[in-house]
Amino acid sequence: MATAATTTRLRYEAIKPKIGARVLNTKEELLSGELSEDILALMEERGVLVFPEIDFADHEQVKFSNSLGGNADELAGQNQDSVFKVTLDEKAQHANVVEYLKGSLFWHIDGTMNPIPIRASMLTAKVLAPEGGDTEFANTATSYADLSDEQKAEIEGLRVVHSLWCSAFYHTPEPSAEQLADWQSKGEAEIPLVVTNSTGKKSLVLGNTAHYIRGLDMKDSQRLLHGLRAFATSEPYVYKHVWKLGDTVMWDNRTSLHRATPYDPYCGRMMHRTIIKGGEAWDQ
Ligand code: OGA
Ligand code: MN
């Protein structure tokens, strides 16, 4: 006797025309692994996926990440089987990691200085900030697509130097000489301003690590980088996630700028992060 094949389908609704989707499947359906390809395809299309109040335990979040391509190594000796604690509270995280996470309050892309950026990141809300602490995402593929032909021609082929030490000035504008030397020892990388992935989709690589455009006068370089960032983070391209406890949000790290809105560093806000391997090199 033939048994009917059961196929789990991805159920979702778009959030805004140019960014975001809410995935409506149950936790069991997500953890079954049957939806992995569809989830990655939807993330590629929408940039950011919200899993409302899905309430992943840490091992479930790791399992889900693994089903999408693997939980990559995190900072500070975390291993592939655990979540990484995103908090600004030095009682709950190493001081040097907190220092680095202060940059998350400004528009950025994770890992611009790595030759191969991570494919995606995922945050689960464990403790909410009583005020602020939302997370905003901007889709840099849809904003690139909306540039005029002249603007696209103007930025074609430009290359940008990204550095950690540039991004650190956003939160610590008056470092000591030692602190600056330490930041500068963390490296920089030169990558294209417009990147193309293997499907041919183009997107802008901007944010607080984008220091200057190679070969341009500093003023022109800053005007262009900040002008593009302001456009890319304007209303049509931005989704602001106001967290509920147990929400998980996942974003395409190649095509999403993101930032946390300000919150009290000692309020206890806690996000658990996993990251997904499988990114393509910035420079193709
Ligand atoms: C991150 C990040 C933003 C937030 O984890 O990479 O930028 O809202 N987090 O905590
Ligand atoms: Mn980040």
Side-chain angles (χ1 to χ4, degrees):
M1 194 176 71
T3 48
T6 53
T7 40
T8 311
R9 284 186 185 278
L10 188 60
R11 294 190 303 280
Y12 67 92
E13 57 195 22
I15 297 178
K16 288 174 75 173
K18 292 178 195 284
I19 185 169
R22 228 171 263 116
V23 176
L24 306 172
N25 292 83
T26 63
K27 187 187 335 192
E28 289 64 36
E29 289 170 336
L30 297 177
L31 291 177
S32 74
E34 285 179 47
L35 297 170
S36 301
E37 274 177 36
D38 292 348
I39 290 169
L40 288 171
L42 187 66
M43 180 182 73
E44 172 86 32
E45 189 189 317
R46 306 298 312 161
V48 179
L49 302 182
V50 177
F51 303 90
E53 294 174 278
I54 199 75
D55 258 324
F56 280 144
D58 290 349
H59 73 277
E60 292 170 331
Q61 185 174 343
V62 168
K63 182 174 180 196
F64 184 52
S65 302
N66 285 337
S67 76
L68 297 171
N71 184 16
D73 285 325
E74 270 283 8
L75 295 165
Q78 298 277 314
N79 67 48
Q80 299 191 6
D81 297 322
S82 61
V83 296
F84 176 78
K85 291 181 177 175
V86 174
T87 175
L88 295 179
D89 186 347
E90 290 178 11
K91 290 194 288 299
Q93 186 51 282
H94 300 284
N96 58 343
V97 177
V98 168
E99 170 87 2
Y100 155 85
L101 286 171
K102 287 179 188 166
S104 66
L105 295 167
F106 304 90
W107 287 113
H108 68 282
I109 292 176
D110 296 333
T112 50
M113 282 159 299
N114 306 334
I116 301 183
I118 51 171
R119 175 85 185 84
S121 288
M122 196 185 297
L123 291 176
T124 297
K126 296 291 174 179
V127 180
L128 301 180
E131 259 182 282
D134 306 325
T135 309
E136 296 180 305
F137 299 90
N139 188 329
T140 64
T142 50
S143 54
Y144 174 81
D146 284 353
L147 293 175
S148 68
D149 288 345
E150 294 81 67
Q151 286 172 308
K152 286 179 184 161
E154 189 194 354
I155 63 176
E156 179 74 32
L158 292 179
R159 296 180 66 81
V160 179
V161 175
H162 287 257
S163 72
L164 176 94
W165 66 274
C166 167
S167 71
F169 276 104
Y170 281 78
H171 55 79
T172 308
E174 294 182 336
S176 67
E178 293 74 30
Q179 202 167 19
L180 181 57
D182 182 48
W183 294 346
Q184 290 183 336
S185 72
K186 302 275 165 34
E188 11 181 80
E190 183 186 302
I191 58 175
L193 174 54
V194 179
V195 294
T196 310
N197 75 3
S198 56
T199 70
K201 186 164 75 174
K202 293 188 171 196
S203 57
L204 297 161
V205 186
L206 296 165
N208 63 9
T209 60
H211 194 180
Y212 63 91
I213 299 175
R214 178 73 77 200
L216 250 63
D217 166 71
M218 200 47 134
K219 276 197 204 156
D220 293 340
S221 169
Q222 293 290 297
R223 263 206 308 277
L224 193 49
L225 287 175
H226 287 281
L228 285 170
R229 194 254 312 128
F231 173 70
T233 57
S234 61
E235 198 280 330
Y237 312 107
V238 172
Y239 166 64
K240 172 165 152 163
H241 188 69
V242 179
W243 293 95
K244 287 207 172 106
L245 218 52
D247 284 350
T248 291
V249 176
M250 166 179 163
W251 65 95
D252 186 327
N253 184 59
R254 197 184 173 81
T255 61
S256 308
L257 282 158
H258 61 284
R259 69 173 176 185
T261 66
Y263 59 95
D264 173 2
Y266 301 107
C267 71
R269 182 187 191 263
M270 174 62 73
M271 300 282 159
H272 283 185
R273 182 169 81 176
T274 48
I275 57 185
I276 294 161
K277 291 186 272 202
E280 297 173 27
W282 291 120
D283 240 328
Q284 307 256 2

